[in-house]
Amino acid sequence: QVQLVESGGDLVQPGGSLRLSCIASGDTVTIINMGWYRQAPGKKRELVANAISGGRMDYADAVKGRFTISRDIAKNTVSLQMNSLEPEDTAVYYCQARARIKTYWGQGTQVTVSS
């Protein structure tokens, strides 16, 4: 089993920045990929960014050029630097860890972009 704990969510003004962090514990040797998803009220959960094993990073079109994902395999962490935040980025952000036969989720951290 893998446990994921996110932190860093907050209320921020449009144009501001936030950095989300997620730390994994437990059977972390089984983790292949780590990433971030988000879910806004009334909407489906969607991919924000994914750190693929081998170094490739994938981003949703809506966040390209504004968000940067980074993963530290040795420390079992994945972070999401979010710049130029927009009200449309308001959502609960979830950390995801994908193992060979199972996918794990954190509890989520709220990001609210509002003036």
Side-chain angles (χ1 to χ4, degrees):
Q1 293 292 325
V2 172
Q3 295 78 42
L4 302 171
V5 178
E6 304 102 331
S7 61
D10 206 344
L11 170 64
V12 63
Q13 292 188 343
S17 297
L18 278 177
R19 185 176 181 86
L20 304 182
S21 297
C22 172
I23 184 165
S25 60
D27 199 13
T28 57
V29 294
T30 65
I31 296 174
I32 300 173
N33 302 329
M34 294 187 76
W36 289 93
Y37 285 69
R38 67 186 181 186
Q39 187 166 16
K43 294 188 177 181
K44 294 182 179 179
R45 191 173 296 189
E46 62 179 7
L47 172 70
V48 177
N50 215 0
I52 308 296
S53 179
R56 193 182 92 207
M57 310 297 182
D58 289 339
Y59 295 92
D61 287 343
V63 307
K64 283 180 181 176
R66 300 188 297 123
F67 291 10
T68 303
I69 189 172
S70 58
R71 182 182 174 189
D72 188 325
I73 295 175
K75 295 182 178 179
N76 297 312
T77 61
V78 63
S79 298
L80 186 69
Q81 178 65 41
M82 305 187 293
N83 298 327
S84 302
L85 282 161
E86 303 168 353
E88 293 74 21
D89 296 315
T90 295
V92 178
Y93 284 70
Y94 295 91
C95 177
Q96 183 206 64
R98 185 163 295 179
R100 193 167 301 278
I101 60 172
K102 196 166 183 179
T103 297
Y104 301 92
W105 294 93
Q107 81 287 352
T109 186
Q110 177 71 46
V111 172
T112 302
V113 185
S114 175
S115 55

